[in-house]
Amino acid sequence: MKTLKDVKVGETATVARLHGEGPVKRRIMDMGITKGVEIYVRKVAPLGDPMELTVRNYELSVRKADAEMIEVV
């Protein structure tokens, strides 16, 4: 299983599935990250946390722990 955390800077991935439950999953979905959406990884902080993404033509920062819940292809 490949997660968003495994995607390298400059690559684009498509969301296959969201893991997690309750408020955490709802928060990820509220940010626009849903099944079938393309995510472009723009930058990763020096220590790997957070990741800066482009989702639906806007910029978003996501913690590494949240990125592990997003399964991509």
Side-chain angles (χ1 to χ4, degrees):
M1 175 179 82
K2 183 176 177 183
T3 64
L4 185 59
K5 188 184 85 163
D6 303 323
V7 179
K8 305 277 186 263
V9 174
E11 292 182 353
T12 301
T14 304
V15 177
R17 173 165 194 231
L18 295 176
H19 296 278
E21 51 187 60
V24 176
K25 185 174 181 179
R26 169 94 305 202
R27 186 168 48 85
I28 291 171
M29 291 174 73
D30 288 344
M31 289 188 281
I33 300 173
T34 55
K35 184 177 178 180
V37 170
E38 287 195 348
I39 298 177
Y40 174 73
V41 179
R42 297 188 61 219
K43 298 182 215 171
V44 176
L47 298 176
D49 205 15
M51 301 175 72
E52 191 171 306
L53 314 170
T54 300
V55 180
R56 299 179 191 258
N57 293 323
Y58 68 93
E59 295 171 15
L60 179 68
S61 291
V62 175
R63 293 182 296 216
K64 198 180 337 181
D66 293 339
E68 290 176 342
M69 295 182 202
I70 303 167
E71 185 178 334
V72 296
V73 288

